[in-house]
Amino acid sequence: MYDLAAMARSIISYIENPEIRKAQSLRAIAKIKKDWDYLSYQNDLYELVQETVPAAITGWPVIETPFSPEHLVIMNASSDDLDVFECDGHLSQKKSLDVALIGGRFDEEAETVAARLRHLGHRVRHHQPNKNDKVSRASLVAKLLDKPRPKAATFFNTLSFVMPSQLKPLTYRLHAVETRAKANALYQALPYLASLTLTDDQTAEYLIQMNPDSEKQISFLNVNSKSRLLNSKKKQTR
């Protein structure tokens, strides 16, 4: 500190030795993830309070570690979206996904959709927006993406509730499945998505024309043929 010559030498050494720079960078990232996450910051403050404030008669409560989903799926509580979900083998064949159903009392099909998802082996929670409008749903989705942050997230016809400016700072992998979003909105979100699955081949072609590099991100899901197969399997199980 206060030694500009030493600081300059250190910067030059990092420029001249990229292997050392990379190794130290990886160690620093690992330490931050291990010791400097929000929970450790919270615990530090909690310990400081315990040292300076008399404890209550019942003692200090234990702070539980917040649960961070491995893969959070944010979807509407509608049977149409559920049908597409079951047609998407990338998602439906995975086990124990954490599914956040947006809608609650505003969607009459919510309980039926939740029951089917649980039957498929997924963990489901209903999330209730304050009002049945886009603004309230957008506010709710923003909270789901941040408290606590999942390790990966898939927007299932819910990408329209998030602005590109909200996607930009997110560091975990983001996916989207869209059956009705407008191409221009999808185009703006593309830079922040690891993958985008579409049921409209014309929209997919249009996006690839607008951004040729997006071809490796975009996949096409033929819902009509797969839904017929899915419905026949459901009838057989009944």
Side-chain angles (χ1 to χ4, degrees):
M1 193 171 181
Y2 304 120
D3 190 340
L4 295 182
M7 189 176 98
R9 288 194 298 272
S10 179
I11 293 172
I12 291 170
S13 70
Y14 282 130
I15 294 172
E16 294 177 344
N17 300 279
E19 296 85 5
I20 294 176
R21 182 176 74 245
K22 183 176 181 180
Q24 291 193 3
S25 173
L26 292 174
R27 285 200 297 271
I29 290 171
K31 182 172 180 60
I32 288 170
K33 288 182 176 180
K34 178 178 179 293
D35 299 327
W36 293 346
D37 60 0
Y38 187 80
L39 181 63
S40 65
Y41 167 69
Q42 176 180 286
N43 286 332
D44 288 343
L45 291 179
Y46 196 36
E47 289 177 7
L48 183 62
V49 171
Q50 289 175 312
E51 291 173 1
T52 55
V53 179
I57 296 175
T58 55
W60 294 102
V62 177
I63 296 180
E64 296 183 0
T65 304
F67 172 68
S68 180
E70 288 287 334
H71 191 157
L72 176 66
V73 178
I74 304 173
M75 64 186 294
N76 300 295
S78 73
S79 58
D80 290 342
D81 285 0
L82 178 61
D83 289 342
V84 179
F85 176 88
E86 292 197 65
C87 289
D88 187 346
H90 174 71
L91 286 175
S92 61
Q93 293 175 11
K94 288 188 176 182
K95 299 298 181 184
S96 300
L97 287 171
D98 290 281
V99 182
L101 287 180
I102 305 299
R105 68 177 184 272
F106 301 126
D107 293 299
E108 296 178 359
E109 304 163 321
E111 288 301 329
T112 303
V113 172
R116 178 61 185 168
L117 288 168
R118 292 190 179 104
H119 177 74
L120 293 172
H122 305 303
R123 294 181 290 267
V124 182
R125 290 189 65 183
H126 293 280
H127 294 270
Q128 179 64 58
N130 294 328
K131 296 180 180 179
N132 190 17
D133 57 28
K134 187 172 181 178
V135 173
S136 296
R137 290 170 187 258
S139 175
L140 183 55
V141 171
K143 291 179 181 178
L144 288 170
L145 295 173
D146 195 47
K147 297 179 180 180
R149 292 189 174 187
K151 297 177 182 177
T154 294
F155 301 100
F156 215 92
N157 278 333
T158 51
L159 187 59
S160 60
F161 299 137
V162 189
M163 297 291 292
S165 59
Q166 293 174 289
L167 298 175
K168 187 175 181 179
L170 301 179
T171 56
Y172 47 89
R173 291 179 65 83
L174 300 172
H175 310 268
V177 179
E178 289 292 335
T179 66
R180 49 185 176 266
K182 295 181 179 179
N184 289 336
L186 294 174
Y187 177 76
Q188 293 179 8
L190 264 177
Y192 313 111
L193 298 176
S195 67
L196 171 63
T197 301
L198 299 171
T199 57
D200 182 2
D201 54 350
Q202 292 183 342
T203 301
E205 291 174 6
Y206 181 59
L207 285 173
I208 293 171
Q209 288 177 1
M210 294 173 70
N211 180 4
D213 291 336
S214 66
E215 186 172 8
K216 56 182 178 292
Q217 294 172 260
I218 297 174
S219 60
F220 176 66
L221 179 63
N222 190 336
V223 176
N224 292 329
S225 62
K226 291 192 175 184
S227 62
R228 285 195 294 269
L229 177 63
L230 185 65
N231 288 331
S232 65
K233 287 183 178 179
K234 285 182 179 178
K235 290 178 181 178
Q236 289 174 6
T237 57
R238 290 171 186 169

